[in-house]
Structure formats: structure tokens, C-alpha cells
Amino acid sequence: RNPDVRNYRSQAYAARSHALYEQGKYLPAVDSAYLGTLEKYDNVECHLNRIRAYIARREWDKAINSCNRVIGLDARSAEAYCQRGFAYGNKERYDQAITDHNKAIELNPKLALAYQRRAAAQIGKKKFPEAVKDLEQALQIQPNLAEALCDRAMLMAANRAPSKAEA
């Protein structure tokens, strides 16, 4: 087939996959993204859409495998490292999660979600001071990041410091 047609079809599948994901239709989103990769394997957006849907479905191993594909295609994808770190964290593989979040932050220091998710891994390791620092950094970058606000409130409540817990 004509490469331009394959690229166009792949982009169309990526857009469809994203729309399905936004509607909460995660399995059809995965399927549509997969069809996009059949048209053009190196369409990173299709792979990222699959990752997002796998994470929404709590399919951690599939998310990790898809992240590995993206990193193989684009080693500078901060989102892929952040998503893989999140999946590792949910599998209680906190050291791997922290390593991936460190890489995501190295690639994109303004990725607030990477700081928040690294904090979650730090909490899993019971490293609360490090977690608080990461949450503060996440909120400095993105003041309304709900996950960071909730995590900070939980940590501060556990330490009985309610004034800091208020958003």
C-alpha cells in the first residue's frame, strides 16, 4: 500500500482510539490503537493510547509491555517512562517505578504527574519525607493536580499537620 495512506489510516485509528478512551470505552480504544499500529507500527500515539487504556483497565503487565515498545521507538518519551513507572508502582515494584519516574523527570522536568507518581512509590517504600518533597514539586508545577493534593492531604493528616493538608 501507499505509505501516505497507511500513515493517514494509522493517524485516524489513533484519533478514534483517543476518543474511545475519553468515553471510557477502554477495550475498543485498545483495539483501535492496535489497528493503527498494524497500519504503521512506529505510530507512538497509538501505542500511548493502548498504554492509557491498559492502565485504566488495571492491566499492568500489558501496560508495561506497551511502554517498552514506545521506549524502543522513542527513548525520549517521558510519558512512556511515567506510565511504566505507574504500572510498576501498582505491582509494588517501587524501585523500578522510582527509576522510571526519575527518567521521566530527567526528560521532562515539568511533568508534574511524574513527581506525584514517584511520591506514590516513595510512600509505598515508607519514605515519607521524599514523598512530601515530590508532592510539593508536583503542586508547584501544577497547583490543581488532584492526585497530588489528595496524597499530600493523606500524608499530612497521618502526620497531624492539617494546615498543610488544606488545598
Side-chain angles (χ1 to χ4, degrees):
R1 283 194 216 171
N2 180 333
D4 291 335
V5 171
R6 292 184 77 90
N7 187 46
Y8 175 77
R9 289 174 55 106
S10 182
Q11 289 302 322
Y13 280 121
R16 180 172 181 245
S17 174
H18 179 74
L20 289 165
Y21 171 81
E22 290 294 319
Q23 295 169 24
K25 298 177 182 176
Y26 304 125
L27 193 54
V30 168
D31 292 342
S32 185
Y34 174 70
L35 292 173
T37 63
L38 291 178
E39 293 292 334
K40 189 170 184 286
Y41 181 77
D42 64 349
N43 184 330
V44 171
E45 194 56 37
C46 284
H47 290 290
L48 290 171
N49 286 341
R50 287 179 77 188
I51 293 165
R52 294 175 195 122
Y54 284 141
I55 285 176
R57 292 175 52 81
R58 301 172 119 16
E59 295 184 46
W60 310 123
D61 290 328
K62 289 180 180 181
I64 290 167
N65 289 334
S66 289
C67 288
N68 291 340
R69 282 189 204 99
V70 170
I71 292 166
L73 294 168
D74 179 8
R76 300 204 45 80
S77 175
E79 182 179 351
Y81 283 103
C82 185
Q83 297 284 31
R84 189 172 72 177
F86 182 66
Y88 280 140
N90 278 286
K91 290 176 63 79
E92 297 182 7
R93 292 164 58 181
Y94 301 122
D95 289 330
Q96 288 173 293
I98 291 168
T99 298
D100 274 353
H101 293 306
N102 288 343
K103 184 65 174 180
I105 291 164
E106 174 190 321
L107 294 169
N108 182 356
K110 300 226 183 263
L111 186 58
L113 195 58
Y115 290 97
Q116 182 273 322
R117 288 179 171 176
R118 185 172 70 181
Q122 298 285 17
I123 291 168
K125 291 186 69 159
K126 311 258 187 269
K127 292 188 172 183
F128 303 117
E130 292 89 340
V132 169
K133 287 178 191 171
D134 278 342
L135 292 170
E136 294 299 330
Q137 183 64 35
L139 292 168
Q140 184 177 357
I141 295 166
Q142 190 176 340
N144 294 322
L145 182 60
E147 295 91 342
L149 290 167
C150 290
D151 288 349
R152 184 180 68 179
M154 177 199 64
L155 278 176
M156 295 304 166
N159 289 327
R160 302 196 195 285
S163 61
K164 280 288 231 175
E166 297 172 8

